[in-house]
Amino acid sequence: MRGDYAFERFHGEPPLSVIRSRSLDLSGWGRFPVEKCDAYRPESVEEIRELIRVAPSESLISRGMGRSYGDASLNSGRGVILHERLNRILSFDPETGLLHCEASVTLAEIIDVFLPQGFFPAVTPGSKNISLGGAIAADVHGKNHHRDGTISGQVLGFHVLTGEGELVSCSRSENSRLFWATLGGMGLTGAVVDVRLKLRRVDSSYLKTQTIRTTDLQETLDEIILRDRDYDYSVAWIDCLARKKSLGRALLLRANPASPSELPSFERESPYSIRRKLPLTVPFSMPSFFLNSGNMKAFNSCFYWWPRRTEALRDFESYFYPLDAISNWNRVYGQKGVLQYQLVLPLESSSQGLREILERVAESGWASFLGVLKSTGPESGGLLSFPFEGTSLALDFPNRHDSIFAFLRELDRLVIHYGGRTYLAKDSSLTPSAFRTMYPAYEDFLEVKAEVDPNGRFSSSLSRRIGLTE
Amino acid sequence: MEKRVLVTGATSAMGRAFVKELAIKGHSLILAGRSEAELESVATDTRIRFGVQVEVCLYDALAMDAAARLEEDLTRNSKLALHGVVFCHGFMPDEVSAETDTELREATIRVNYISTVNLIEVFKPYLSVGEYCFFCTLTSVAGDRGRPSNALYGSSKGALSLYLSGFRSRVFEQGIRVVNVKPGFVDTRMTWGLPGLFAVARPETVAVHALQGVSRNHGVVYSPKFWRLIMLLIRVIPDIVFRRLKI
Ligand SMILES: Cc1cc2nc3c(=O)[nH]c(=O)nc-3n(C[C@H](O)[C@H](O)[C@H](O)COP(=O)(O)OP(=O)(O)OC[C@H]3O[C@@H](n4cnc5c(N)ncnc54)[C@H](O)[C@@H]3O)c2cc1C
Ligand SMILES: NC(=O)c1ccc[n+]([C@@H]2O[C@H](COP(=O)([O-])OP(=O)(O)OC[C@H]3O[C@@H](n4cnc5c(N)ncnc54)[C@H](OP(=O)(O)O)[C@@H]3O)[C@@H](O)[C@H]2O)c1
């Protein structure tokens, strides 16, 4: 209706933030690298579309909660789309647990809203402060990967806004190539704007956990490869400083969901209650000598005194997210940050490969705070997804000296030698040639990318570093 | 009595922050805004997260008879009773363009000032005075003294502040609280990427301060609080000095 508005020309005018960016020093959770990026913060899907069309930045990449460790959600000197304001829950069916929401809704929010109704994310990584967009882009896995695979198994579909500004609906049956390129595609196929995800029904917010101590690598592997199948969830903390006969000794933390009848009587009334803990914070960056090898050794030897086997009832928070209890724990690694290195080896080479890698790490003197070992199940189908059947090991290396990169190259060579690969969501050091060897499906990925984003509107610091885009 | 609150500009970050805080307090809500799709998203989100009743309706401050139309929409099917109204709609123009653009100037004044005055007068009869009821408006510290960089925006907010102060006295005895919230810089679309910002507050912080002001029956709420002092200082600078300052 003309004349209906006092000022016709202001009607439906695109909001200003579309073209206004803010220059921010961004980093991933490892706080290395730190890069200056043009940050845009759209508040609607239409704004993202407009942004893709007119933003002056040379290329764009989505960013969720910035919990990837390296440069996956960075775009040095170019554009970053902060999804944080697009976090609305769009529907939920309490019969089926089917949730439809915008991509920057976090697992923490999902747990807050839906655990009291008896639902929990069926697959969750070691932090709940991640967005669903990030979960899809990294095709994340959890402590139940050996049973339930990656989060892709729970994802019914999503919409991707491509570099051409087209909103494409993806699922296993609709645009399935884009679906499998986007799951694990590290944001390079476009911005995921909404997600349909199935939550898992749970009977309580507690798990029956069992902790056992192993004495060497063989025992650790025997346990996780042969016995993990009796548990929904399993993870092992490995002592990366132990050598010789103790090499590969570990604490195995395994769990199955608890039913209300297994809870202590005072919890049975409200099986979904979560006791709120005061958040702890690390107020400033720790000086890097805090993590000297003496301290680390002390930390890592603690489990000598751990009893051989303990059983306990623990709530979801403390089992799944021990690190989230301290909100800025990444600061313990000091100003220069940390490099995380997560690898997976196939079953047949796990034993020999892990032995060699752990030996190299132990003798290198690159102290590693947490070594996390886990058995992994079959591949998901995501073209660039990380896990495949075998064993995965995650290591932290405080960024104390530039020679760490040469050391990581050496680890890359070992990983490749044993037929494995490293995880892009944790990575900040992989080279183009190593990437291509580890991810042979990258050519298929690039084919899909060329179809939906022929002008290369989406790229990131990661994608340029590993030679996946220009 | 169901405590229903109408929120304008409900799809903005400020609006959503108010919607969240009001829903946590258990209020049912009517969200007014320009985009039906965005309103529906915010409404569904609020229903699912907080389990309160939420309705939506279209409101464009630049539409002819905007306030009367909104009234008509909200009273068509049922009797309307409101516990309060929160005004979050607002518009900040590019001041330089506004120097040579009549329509832009008029639109700014209409969105920030005229439309709010009209809504206040039209919806006053629908406030159901239990213990109390309220109007809560977002003006701005920019309305406390005209500065070269935002003379137009500031004056539209300042005009509204003057109106509210008179209106507050007029309805004081009827149990209507009129709370004028003056935020400093808030981290929203309006300020994203602008140069010269400092002490930028989260929208949630402003919403919490504002609603505290409502429950404590404060007339003017600065958010964060230190702006009261800063603006006091800025107001007392004599004009002969102020005109030379480029602030
Ligand atoms: C303590 C800790 C424990 C972890 N444990 C695990 C684990 O057990 N298993 C595991 O798999 N991972 C784990 N991770 C890694 C983490 O789950 C992934 O990096 C995840 O992608 C982070 O999500 P985010 O929202 O922070 O995304 P960001 O870090 O912001 O982004 C990660 C990637 O997702 C892309 N992306 C983000 N949002 C969108 C969107 N809306 N559309 C398109 N692309 C998008 C980005 O471009 C980037 O490539 C852990 C991380 C931490 C900090
Ligand atoms: N951000 C600050 O630093 C700051 C400081 C002081 C005061 N404020 C005030 O806070 C309020 C909220 O603003 P914000 O910061 O959240 O910025 P914003 O994102 O720009 O929000 C402005 C809101 O006003 C709505 N609006 C604009 N023109 C309208 C019109 N013609 N009719 C109806 N609604 C209209 C917008 O609707 P759409 O969503 O449909 O675009 C949006 O919801 C405003 O009154 C602003 O003046 C902000």
Side-chain angles (χ1 to χ4, degrees):
Chain A
M1 256 186 292
R2 266 202 78 81
D4 211 20
Y5 292 89
F7 304 96
E8 198 70 37
R9 54 178 256 235
F10 295 117
H11 190 52
E13 182 179 84
L16 288 170
S17 65
V18 162
I19 28 171
R20 224 165 41 207
S21 69
R22 201 176 142 193
S23 174
L24 291 180
D25 290 320
L26 295 177
S27 75
W29 189 244
R31 303 171 81 216
F32 172 85
V34 180
E35 293 176 348
K36 209 172 259 321
C37 310
D38 310 328
Y40 300 86
R41 192 178 61 189
E43 294 190 358
S44 68
V45 176
E46 279 317 304
E47 278 181 59
I48 308 183
R49 197 200 295 268
E50 194 63 11
L51 186 61
I52 291 170
R53 207 169 61 82
V54 305
S57 301
E58 208 178 314
S59 82
L60 297 166
I61 193 69
S62 291
R63 179 174 167 100
M65 294 292 286
R67 252 55 178 192
S68 51
Y69 275 74
D71 50 5
S73 63
L74 308 186
N75 210 358
S76 184
R78 307 185 186 201
V80 169
I81 305 172
L82 304 180
H83 279 253
E84 62 199 50
R85 296 261 154 119
L86 282 155
N87 64 342
R88 292 165 297 196
I89 297 172
L90 302 172
S91 76
F92 180 67
D93 181 352
E95 293 296 312
T96 57
L98 186 62
L99 172 67
H100 179 206
C101 60
E102 288 181 317
S104 87
V105 168
T106 64
L107 294 187
E109 288 175 282
I110 293 178
I111 294 168
D112 275 353
V113 178
F114 299 110
L115 183 54
Q117 301 180 42
F119 291 94
F120 197 78
V123 167
T124 170
S127 171
K128 61 178 174 166
N129 297 318
I130 69 151
S131 71
L132 285 182
I136 284 176
D139 194 9
V140 297
H141 59 275
K143 297 181 172 58
N144 53 347
H145 187 267
H146 61 290
R147 280 215 169 166
D148 300 311
T150 63
I151 197 158
S152 64
Q154 319 300 325
V155 175
L156 283 96
F158 45 76
H159 282 91
V160 184
L161 201 45
T162 68
E164 296 290 277
E166 217 184 313
L167 192 65
V168 185
S169 171
C170 303
S171 68
R172 280 175 186 72
S173 51
E174 196 183 357
N175 299 304
S176 68
R177 270 160 51 82
L178 184 55
F179 182 80
W180 290 114
T182 303
L183 274 157
M186 302 313 287
L188 297 167
T189 55
V192 173
V193 296
D194 64 351
V195 181
R196 281 182 297 123
L197 180 81
K198 202 165 154 51
L199 300 184
R200 165 170 296 175
R201 203 167 237 312
V202 292
D203 294 328
S204 81
S205 59
Y206 286 86
L207 297 158
K208 288 177 296 183
T209 68
Q210 188 202 56
T211 309
I212 63 173
R213 174 162 58 86
T214 59
T215 52
D216 62 18
L217 185 62
Q218 203 46 53
E219 189 189 359
T220 308
L221 288 177
D222 285 351
E223 278 289 338
I224 68 173
I225 290 167
L226 300 176
R227 302 247 164 70
D228 269 3
R229 64 175 78 110
D230 298 337
Y231 298 86
D232 276 11
Y233 304 101
S234 168
V235 68
W237 289 27
I238 198 161
D239 177 357
C240 297
L241 301 179
R243 300 177 66 172
K244 310 228 167 63
K245 268 167 49 192
S246 317
L247 185 89
R249 66 184 183 181
L251 284 183
L252 270 58
L253 288 75
R254 300 192 281 211
N256 278 316
S259 64
S261 62
E262 290 165 308
L263 302 184
S265 52
F266 63 91
E267 296 287 7
R268 266 175 232 161
E269 301 283 292
S270 50
Y272 299 120
S273 69
I274 302 173
R275 260 167 280 146
R276 291 271 156 236
K277 298 173 200 73
L278 285 180
L280 303 169
T281 61
V282 178
F284 49 81
S285 293
M286 295 282 192
S288 47
F289 62 76
F290 176 75
L291 289 182
N292 65 20
S293 53
N295 281 345
M296 309 270 292
K297 263 209 175 83
F299 173 88
N300 283 15
S301 332
C302 273
F303 76 127
Y304 260 142
W305 289 281
W306 199 274
R308 176 109 178 117
R309 179 181 290 262
T310 55
E311 312 217 332
L313 209 55
R314 292 170 68 184
D315 63 60
F316 281 152
E317 303 267 325
S318 69
Y319 181 74
F320 287 117
Y321 315 115
L323 289 169
D324 284 349
I326 310 170
S327 56
N328 290 314
W329 65 266
N330 54 345
R331 293 187 185 175
V332 305
Y333 292 105
Q335 283 295 345
K336 290 169 79 183
V338 61
L339 289 97
Q340 171 140 133
Y341 191 87
Q342 183 170 359
L343 59 97
V344 59
L345 297 183
L347 262 185
E348 55 282 7
S349 65
S350 285
S351 174
Q352 206 193 337
L354 286 173
R355 184 171 306 278
E356 188 166 350
I357 287 167
L358 285 169
E359 267 165 11
R360 263 314 279 136
V361 172
E363 77 194 16
S364 76
W366 283 102
S368 181
F369 202 29
L370 293 174
V372 179
L373 188 72
K374 138 130 224 73
S375 58
T376 44
E379 272 184 291
S380 74
L383 294 177
L384 298 183
S385 291
F386 162 71
F388 54 64
E389 187 154 18
T391 322
S392 148
L393 174 67
L395 303 164
D396 284 0
F397 299 106
N399 180 20
R400 277 188 271 111
H401 192 266
D402 282 350
S403 63
I404 184 68
F405 294 97
F407 176 61
L408 294 181
R409 294 277 132 79
E410 198 189 322
L411 289 189
D412 287 345
R413 280 192 293 274
L414 284 175
V415 170
I416 289 172
H417 174 76
Y418 288 105
R421 62 165 66 129
T422 61
Y423 192 7
L424 297 179
K426 305 275 178 89
D427 179 65
S428 29
S429 70
L430 199 64
T431 60
S433 63
F435 164 72
R436 285 192 294 267
T437 317
M438 291 176 179
Y439 288 89
Y442 80 93
E443 282 178 330
D444 299 337
F445 176 84
L446 285 178
E447 226 170 74
V448 180
K449 173 145 171 84
E451 280 164 30
V452 296
D453 187 16
N455 295 310
R457 194 72 175 115
F458 280 86
S459 73
S460 63
S461 291
L462 168 82
S463 72
R464 286 188 294 278
R465 175 167 55 75
I466 61 174
L468 191 53
T469 67
E470 290 180 0
Chain B
M1 181 87 217
E2 181 197 35
K3 291 197 160 181
R4 207 141 65 127
V5 177
L6 169 65
V7 181
T8 70
T11 53
S12 67
M14 272 310 318
R16 285 183 62 194
F18 272 95
V19 165
K20 174 181 168 195
E21 296 303 327
L22 289 163
I24 288 174
K25 289 173 189 279
H27 291 285
S28 51
L29 294 156
I30 305 173
L31 314 184
R34 292 191 288 187
S35 154
E36 190 149 16
E38 294 299 313
L39 285 167
E40 278 304 339
S41 299
V42 177
T44 316
D45 180 73
T46 310
R47 285 185 206 112
I48 295 175
R49 284 182 201 249
F50 306 106
V52 296
Q53 275 193 25
V54 189
E55 287 167 67
V56 303
C57 57
L58 285 173
Y59 171 73
D60 187 325
L62 293 176
M64 296 296 183
D65 302 322
R69 281 191 191 187
L70 185 62
E71 176 192 23
E72 200 183 305
D73 282 349
L74 292 179
T75 52
R76 189 173 300 125
N77 299 322
S78 59
K79 216 169 124 317
L80 181 68
L82 294 171
H83 174 59
V85 185
V86 178
F87 299 98
C88 291
H89 70 285
F91 175 62
M92 191 165 72
D94 171 22
E95 293 271 334
V96 177
S97 320
E99 285 173 26
T100 54
D101 185 337
T102 310
E103 284 196 350
L104 185 56
R105 290 194 298 271
E106 290 191 14
T108 306
I109 297 167
R110 188 181 277 254
V111 174
N112 290 337
Y113 178 52
I114 299 176
S115 71
T116 313
V117 171
N118 285 338
L119 286 173
I120 287 178
E121 296 300 355
V122 167
F123 282 93
K124 185 171 69 91
Y126 297 99
L127 289 191
S128 49
V129 183
E131 192 194 335
Y132 71 87
C133 54
F134 69 91
F135 285 114
C136 177
T137 58
L138 285 178
T139 63
S140 171
V141 294
D144 277 10
R145 187 156 196 185
R147 292 183 298 118
S149 60
N150 63 11
L152 176 62
Y153 174 76
S155 67
S156 67
K157 293 290 190 180
L160 183 58
S161 285
L162 283 185
Y163 181 83
L164 293 171
S165 120
F167 179 74
R168 182 181 306 117
S169 305
R170 165 144 69 88
V171 297
F172 162 69
E173 282 174 348
Q174 302 168 31
I176 301 179
R177 298 181 179 180
V178 179
V179 182
N180 180 5
V181 182
K182 299 182 177 182
F185 297 120
V186 192
D187 187 17
T188 70
R189 184 159 75 183
M190 198 176 262
T191 54
W192 182 257
L194 288 183
L197 307 184
F198 57 91
V200 180
R202 296 169 58 234
E204 289 80 6
T205 310
V206 176
V208 168
H209 286 164
L211 294 175
Q212 267 168 8
V214 169
S215 59
R216 295 175 190 167
N217 198 4
H218 291 168
V220 177
V221 174
Y222 282 85
S223 178
K225 277 205 187 77
F226 64 83
W227 283 99
R228 184 181 290 275
L229 181 66
I230 296 186
M231 294 323 290
L232 183 75
L233 296 178
I234 287 183
R235 275 201 311 270
V236 298
I237 300 173
D239 192 62
I240 192 109
V241 180
F242 196 74
R243 70 179 66 161
R244 290 184 171 79
L245 296 177
K246 290 274 171 281
I247 55 172

